[in-house]
């Protein structure tokens, strides 16, 4: 064996077929959200835009009316922008002059406090809520690599404290460790050498499925895969009789599957 493999324990809950989920956080949350949408899960992903720090994640969840059982939180940085006039952390500078804001870094206690408030709010809304917290593996070159490592370390410490404080509600998924300790080759990065490649994202997705998806959910995705691929097929001649027949047969299979799994949410066009 020429690599180390990060141990990912089985979660104490299992995602069911087409279960509703909320994903909030950095662009890595968007990547996993895209994987779930591809599998026709009814997911809500960053409804107020990408949020990188624990305070902005909290703000999003406070504003989002979500009553599902499963929430994914992906933390990107502990750096925040504070509006000088009010002292409040802003989630988006809205193209206002940089002079109006001050960039600062949250410490472990401040990160944990926002995350704990978020979990308590979710638990009030739904007592059986399950929160999966991850730290994005994407480095922030603008902080310098030492500064980026310190930022990630702060988030990792806050996430660890959160899991220990809410063991019945919160689980940690080691996306950061998988990229940095298992996929250590630059071939798993995009050309900027900072962001995980699509191959790396797909590998992390498979590890996530292994640890927290039920056998029923895996069976559902196995059923959906050939239909998804058929719907995405680009024909040489879309008007040909052979393709129209193939398309009609595929759509009928999709309709039958939707009867079996009514919560399916297909984002791309499936109408005749």
């Amino acid at each position: 064996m020429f690599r180390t493999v990060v141990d990912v324990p089985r979660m104490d809950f299992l995602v069911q077929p087409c279960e509703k989920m909320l994903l909030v956080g950095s662009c890595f949350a968007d990547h996993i959200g895209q994987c779930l949408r591809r599998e026709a899960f009814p997911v809500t992903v960053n409804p107020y835009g990408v949020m990188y720090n624990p305070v902005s994640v909290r703000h999003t969840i406070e504003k989002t009316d979500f009553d599902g059982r499963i929430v994914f939180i992906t933390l990107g940085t502990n750096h925040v922008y504070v509006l000088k006039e009010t002292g409040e952390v802003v989630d988006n500078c809205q193209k206002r002059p940089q002079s109006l804001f001050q960039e600062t870094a949250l410490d472990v206690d401040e990160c944990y406090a926002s995350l704990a408030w978020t979990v308590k709010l979710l638990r009030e809304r739904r007592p059986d809520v399950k929160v999966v917290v991850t730290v994005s593996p994407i480095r922030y070159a603008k902080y310098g690599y030492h500064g980026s490592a310190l930022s990630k370390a702060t988030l990792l410490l806050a996430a660890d404290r959160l899991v220990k404080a809410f063991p019945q509600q919160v689980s940690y998924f080691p996306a950061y460790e998988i990229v940095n300790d298992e996929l250590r080759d630059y071939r798993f990065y995009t050309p900027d050498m900072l962001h995980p490649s699509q191959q790396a994202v797909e590998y992390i997705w498979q590890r996530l499925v292994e640890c927290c998806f039920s056998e029923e959910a895996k069976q559902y995705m196995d059923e959906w895969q050939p239909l998804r691929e058929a719907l995405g097929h680009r024909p040489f001649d879309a008007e040909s009789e052979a393709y129209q027949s193939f398309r009609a047969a595929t759509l009928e299979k999709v309709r039958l599957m939707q009867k079996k799994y009514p919560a399916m949410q297909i984002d791309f066009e499936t109408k005749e």
Side-chain angles (χ1 to χ4, degrees):
M1 179 179 291
F2 293 96
R3 65 187 177 100
T4 56
V5 178
V6 174
D7 180 45
V8 184
R10 190 80 161 158
M11 300 285 184
D12 65 353
F13 72 94
L14 295 175
V15 174
Q16 300 305 315
C18 300
E19 184 162 11
K20 182 165 58 173
M21 286 177 264
L22 171 66
L23 293 91
V24 178
S26 73
C27 51
F28 190 72
D30 280 349
H31 291 320
I32 299 302
Q34 289 170 5
C35 292
L36 286 163
R37 283 176 173 154
R38 179 187 68 195
E39 303 299 340
F41 277 79
V43 295
T44 301
V45 183
N46 282 329
Y48 296 97
V50 175
M51 300 295 165
Y52 295 97
N53 66 79
V55 175
S56 294
V57 167
R58 187 192 79 211
H59 290 166
T60 292
I61 291 178
E62 287 173 340
K63 294 184 292 184
T64 302
D65 181 19
F66 177 76
D67 60 358
R69 184 176 68 108
I70 299 174
V71 177
F72 285 86
I73 293 174
T74 299
L75 305 171
T77 178
N78 67 328
H79 285 238
V80 298
Y81 286 90
V82 177
L83 184 61
K84 292 178 182 178
E85 183 180 357
T86 64
E88 296 179 351
V89 173
V90 297
D91 305 327
N92 190 317
C93 295
Q94 299 176 332
K95 298 184 179 180
R96 289 177 287 179
Q98 187 175 355
S99 60
L100 298 177
F101 304 94
Q102 178 181 353
E103 184 178 2
T104 187
L106 304 173
D107 61 24
V108 175
D109 290 340
E110 290 169 321
C111 290
Y112 168 75
S114 276
L115 293 170
W117 175 269
T118 301
V119 172
K120 290 174 183 176
L121 175 62
L122 290 168
R123 192 170 58 180
E124 288 174 5
R125 293 177 180 174
R126 179 156 179 165
D128 66 339
V129 70
K130 299 294 183 181
V131 179
V132 180
V133 63
T134 72
V135 173
S136 169
I138 299 171
R139 296 182 181 90
Y140 288 88
K142 68 177 182 178
Y143 302 154
Y145 294 113
H146 180 62
S148 178
L150 291 175
S151 176
K152 299 295 184 182
T154 300
L155 297 174
L156 289 165
L157 288 168
D160 186 65
R161 187 185 299 183
L162 189 74
V163 172
K164 291 175 180 174
F166 301 93
Q168 302 304 314
Q169 283 82 35
V170 183
S171 300
Y172 178 74
F173 177 75
Y176 178 85
E177 292 81 358
I178 289 173
V179 171
N180 287 284
D181 297 322
E182 186 171 343
L183 306 180
R184 289 186 282 181
D185 194 294
Y186 276 114
R187 65 194 171 100
F188 296 113
Y189 289 81
T190 57
D192 68 3
M193 298 301 165
L194 297 172
H195 291 74
S197 67
Q198 185 56 46
Q199 183 183 26
V201 171
E202 190 64 32
Y203 179 76
I204 293 169
W205 162 249
Q206 293 300 329
R207 297 298 303 274
L208 183 65
V209 169
E210 290 171 9
C211 78
C212 67
F213 279 58
S214 67
E215 292 305 316
E216 292 80 5
K218 294 175 185 177
Q219 180 181 340
Y220 153 76
M221 289 188 289
D222 286 342
E223 290 180 49
W224 171 236
Q225 181 180 355
L227 296 181
R228 169 169 56 80
E229 292 175 349
L231 288 170
H233 175 67
R234 292 180 178 273
F236 179 75
D237 181 5
E239 303 302 321
S240 69
E241 183 177 344
Y243 176 71
Q244 290 299 318
S245 176
F246 167 79
R247 179 77 172 175
T250 299
L251 289 173
E252 181 58 28
K253 292 176 183 177
V254 170
R255 293 189 187 99
L256 291 173
M257 191 166 182
Q258 286 179 308
K259 287 183 179 180
K260 184 177 180 180
Y261 302 103
M264 284 182 74
Q265 189 174 73
I266 303 173
D267 290 338
F268 41 87
E269 184 64 43
T270 59
K271 295 180 182 179
E272 297 182 60

